[in-house]
C-alpha cells in the first residue's frame, strides 16, 4: 500500500507534581519543608531517517504519547524526567496541524531533528513556598499539563526535477535509461504507485535528482484516482519535464494531454504552473511520415510560450543528451537549496483565556503573591531567561492590571513578588 500521508495523535508528557513534605529528624521536631520538584515531561521529537521511504509505519499505530515526569519526593529529591519519544520519518516529510493544514515542520534535511511538542514543566515542591509567616506551606505546584495535537504527515519527495505526464508515455523508461533507478517497466494503463527517484550524472561531474511522478489523469487535482497523493510530490521540484507520446500510439492528442496535465497542476497549486517547464516529445521513432510532423505541431503550440520542446526516444536514447543538459543549465541558474515549506503553526504558543481568574494578594510586609491558572500557564510557555521572554512576562503583568493591583495593595520598590516558585524584586 502506497503510504505518503498519515493522520496521527501525539501527546507530550505531563510534568511531575511538586511534593509536599517536611523534614523529620531526631532532635528536629519541627523541620522545615523539604518537598522536591517534579520531573519534566518527555518531548515529542521527529527525526529524519534516510532509510525510510514511506509513512506506512504510521498506518498501524496512530497514537504516540511521551512519558510523564515523576512526582518530586521528600528530602528535596527531584522527580525523574519523563523519556522523550522520537518518531522517525522519511526525508521530505511535512508535518501539518490537522485541522488548519498549516505547516509545523518540514523535515527536509538529512539527520534533521525537531521538537514538535514540549513536555510539561515539573512543579515546584513546597520547599519553595516558605516565608517568615508561612513556615509550614502545605502547597506544592502541580506539574504543567501535557500538550496534545492531531497532525498530518505528508511525504513530498525532494527532487530537483519532476517528470510528469499521462500513464504509459514512457516516463519509467526514461528514468531507467538516464539514472540509477530501476523502475518496473511495462505497458501499464494504471500506474506506478511510488514516485521513483533517480540521480542523473552528467560528464562534468554535476547532476541532479529526478522524480518520476506517477501518471496523472484528468481530475487529479480534485482527488480523482490517487491525484492528491501524486501531486503533492511535485511541489518541491524546481523544473518540470512534461513527457508526451508524440506518436499518439494510443490515439490521444499530445497537445491536449499537455494542456490537461497543466490544468491539473494549476488547479492543485497555482505556483506549480509558474515553474520552468520543458516538453519531452517521446516515441519519435514510432512517428509515421505524414503531412506535418507532430513534434513540429507541439513546438508551434508551446515554444512561443517559452516552453522548449525536445524530440526524444526513451527506448533508443535519441535526444536525451540535449534534454538533460538543457535541464541542467536551467537548474544552474536557480537556488541550489531544496524548496522548503516555512513554519506556519507553532504548537504550544501561549493562548490567553481572560475569563480565567488571577489572584493578587499581600502575604506580609514586603512580600506579595500572584497566582491563578492564567499566569501559571503563561510561565509554562515563557522562557524568562531570554530578554524577549522576560519582556513578554512584564507586558503580561502590565496589560492584565496586575502591576496596578500590586500598587493598590501598597507595594514599594524593593518588595518581593512570588509567582509559583519564582521571586521577583519590584521596581517601578
Amino acid at each position: 500500500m502506497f503510504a505518503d500521508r498519515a493522520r496521527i495523535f501525539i501527546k507530550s508528557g505531563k510534568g511531575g507534581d511538586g511534593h509536599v513534605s517536611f523534614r523529620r529528624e531526631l532532635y528536629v521536631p519541627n523541620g522545615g519543608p523539604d518537598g522536591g520538584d517534579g520531573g519534566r515531561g518527555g518531548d515529542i521529537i521527529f527525526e529524519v531517517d534516510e532509510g525510510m521511504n514511506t509513512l506506512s509505519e504510521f498506518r498501524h499505530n496512530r497514537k504516540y504519547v511521551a512519558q510523564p515526569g515523576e512526582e518530586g519526593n521528600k528530602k528535596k529529591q527531584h522527580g525523574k524526567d519523563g523519556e522523550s519519544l522520537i518518531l522517525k520519518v522519511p526525508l521530505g516529510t511535512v508535518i501539518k496541524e490537522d485541522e488548519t493544514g498549516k505547516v509545523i515542520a518540514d523535515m527536509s534535511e538529512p539527520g534533521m531533528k525537531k521538537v514538535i511538542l514540549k513536555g510539561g514543566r515539573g512543579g515546584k515542591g513546597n520547599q519553595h513556598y516558605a516565608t517568615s509567616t508561612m513556615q509550614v506551606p502545605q502547597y506544592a505546584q502541580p506539574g504543567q499539563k501535557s500538550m496534545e495535537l492531531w497532525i498530518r504527515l505528508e511525504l513530498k519527495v525532494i527532487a530537483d526535477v519532476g517528470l510528469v505526464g499521462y500513464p504509459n508515455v514512457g516516463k519509467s523508461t526514461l528514468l531507467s535509461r538516464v539514472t540509477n533507478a530501476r523502475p518496473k517497466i511495462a505497458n501499464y494503463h494504471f500506474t506506478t504507485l511510488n514516485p521513483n527517484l533517480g540521480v542523473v550524472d552528467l560528464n562534468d561531474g554535476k547532476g541532479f535528482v529526478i522524480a518520476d511522478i506517477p501518471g496523472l489523469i484528468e481530475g487529479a487535482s480534485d482527488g480523482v484516482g490517487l491525484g492528491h497523493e501524486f501531486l503533492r510530490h511535485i511541489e518541491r521540484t524546481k523544473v518540470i519535464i512534461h513527457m508526451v507520446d508524440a506518436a499518439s500510439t494510443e490515439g490521444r492528442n499530445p497537445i491536449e494531454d499537455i494542456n490537461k496535465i497543466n490544468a491539473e497542476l494549476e488547479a492543485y497549486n497555482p505556483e506549480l504552473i509558474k515553474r520552468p517547464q520543458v516538453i519531452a516529445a517521446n516515441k519519435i521513432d514510432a512517428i509515421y511520415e505524414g503531412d506535418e510532423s507532430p513534434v513540429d505541431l507541439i513546438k508551434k503550440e508551446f515554444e512561443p510560450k517559452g516552453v522548449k520542446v525536445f524530440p526524444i526516444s526513451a527506448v533508443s536514447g535519441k535526444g536525451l543528451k540535449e534534454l538533460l543538459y538543457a535541464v541542467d543549465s536551467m537548474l544552474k541558474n536557480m537556488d541550489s537549496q531544496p524548496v522548503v515549506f516555512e513554519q506556519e503553526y507553532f504548537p504550544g504558543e501561549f493562548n490567553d483565556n481572560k475569563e480565567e481568574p488571577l489572584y493578587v494578594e499581600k502575604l506580609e510586609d514586603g512580600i506579595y503573591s500572584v497566582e491563578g491558572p492564567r499566569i501559571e500557564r503563561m510561565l509554562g510557555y515563557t522562557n524568562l531567561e531570554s530578554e524577549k521572554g522576560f519582556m513578554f512576562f512584564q507586558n503580561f503583568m502590565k496589560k492584565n492590571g496586575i502591576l496596578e493591583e500590586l500598587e493598590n495593595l501598597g507595594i514599594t520598590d524593593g518588595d518581593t513578588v512570588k509567582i509559583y516558585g519564582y521571586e521577583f524584586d519590584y521596581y517601578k
Side-chain angles (χ1 to χ4, degrees), residues 18 59-60 108 176 192 238 254 257 281 346 352 358 366 379 402 422:
R59 290 184 176 269
H60 307 300
S108 57
S176 68
T192 335
K238 299 172 187 174
D257 282 1
F346 297 82
D352 194 14
L358 287 167
L379 287 172
I402 297 171
Y422 293 97

Side-chain angles (χ1 to χ4, degrees), residues 17-324:
D17 294 338
H19 190 69
V20 175
S21 62
F22 299 91
R23 225 163 24 118
R24 293 290 179 263
E25 297 177 28
L26 194 62
Y27 310 120
V28 187
N30 297 308
D34 70 349
D37 300 343
R40 188 175 180 280
D43 299 332
I44 295 287
I45 302 170
F46 280 78
E47 181 179 9
V48 169
D49 182 345
E50 293 180 75
M52 295 174 67
N53 54 25
T54 76
L55 296 168
S56 58
E57 291 184 23
F58 296 97
R59 290 184 176 269
H60 307 300
N61 184 7
R62 294 180 181 269
K63 185 176 181 181
Y64 298 87
V65 181
Q67 276 190 349
E70 289 185 357
E71 183 183 345
N73 214 325
K74 57 187 179 182
K75 298 183 179 179
K76 300 183 180 180
Q77 291 180 25
H78 193 287
K80 184 180 177 183
D81 291 343
E83 277 190 33
S84 293
L85 182 61
I86 299 177
L87 302 177
K88 297 195 174 182
V89 293
L91 182 67
T93 300
V94 179
I95 304 167
K96 295 183 176 181
E97 196 274 327
D98 181 56
E99 191 173 332
T100 63
K102 291 184 176 179
V103 175
I104 299 172
D106 184 352
M107 309 300 287
S108 57
E109 298 175 18
M112 180 177 175
K113 259 188 177 183
K114 177 83 173 178
V115 176
I116 301 300
L117 294 183
K118 289 185 178 180
R121 175 176 43 81
K124 302 286 187 183
N126 71 333
Q127 59 171 312
H128 297 279
Y129 297 101
T131 68
S132 59
T133 58
M134 188 191 297
Q135 297 184 4
V136 285
Q138 297 291 334
Y139 170 82
Q141 185 185 26
Q144 186 187 7
K145 292 180 180 178
S146 58
M147 297 167 60
E148 58 185 53
L149 198 62
W150 278 96
I151 60 172
R152 272 187 263 156
L153 305 178
E154 295 181 357
L155 178 58
K156 300 174 190 281
V157 297
I158 296 179
D160 302 302
V161 179
L163 183 59
V164 303
Y166 269 80
N168 202 31
V169 295
K171 300 195 307 300
S172 295
T173 303
L174 173 68
L175 195 75
S176 68
R177 187 167 190 98
V178 302
T179 76
N180 54 358
R182 293 292 175 264
K184 292 181 180 178
I185 301 170
N187 189 25
Y188 295 136
H189 285 83
F190 298 96
T191 185
T192 335
L193 290 185
N194 288 301
N196 289 299
L197 282 178
V199 178
V200 175
D201 291 317
L202 301 175
N203 292 336
D204 57 4
K206 300 290 178 67
F208 52 85
V209 179
I210 187 169
D212 165 19
I213 308 301
L216 298 177
I217 59 174
E218 199 169 0
S221 60
D222 295 323
V224 174
L226 295 174
H228 282 172
E229 281 83 343
F230 296 159
L231 281 163
R232 76 178 88 255
H233 287 297
I234 205 170
E235 289 188 88
R236 290 192 196 272
T237 57
K238 299 172 187 174
V239 174
I240 295 172
I241 298 177
H242 200 140
M243 198 166 189
V244 289
D245 176 1
S248 302
T249 57
E250 297 190 349
R252 292 201 310 270
N253 184 313
I255 292 175
E256 287 182 7
D257 282 1
I258 294 168
N259 287 329
K260 285 176 181 176
I261 295 294
N262 280 342
E264 295 303 325
L265 296 177
E266 186 172 20
Y268 178 74
N269 182 346
E271 291 299 313
L272 293 180
I273 203 66
K274 299 176 185 176
R275 303 271 165 90
Q277 189 174 128
V278 297
I279 293 171
N282 191 28
K283 304 188 181 181
I284 56 172
D285 44 358
I287 295 175
Y288 293 102
E289 294 293 328
D291 294 335
E292 188 168 13
S293 164
V295 173
D296 290 339
L297 290 174
I298 297 169
K299 285 184 175 182
K300 189 183 295 183
E301 177 71 21
F302 294 102
E303 290 199 338
K305 300 173 185 176
V307 180
K308 185 80 173 166
V309 177
F310 294 87
I312 67 164
S313 169
V315 171
S316 70
K318 187 175 181 181
L320 294 185
K321 182 178 178 181
E322 291 81 1
L323 171 67
L324 297 177

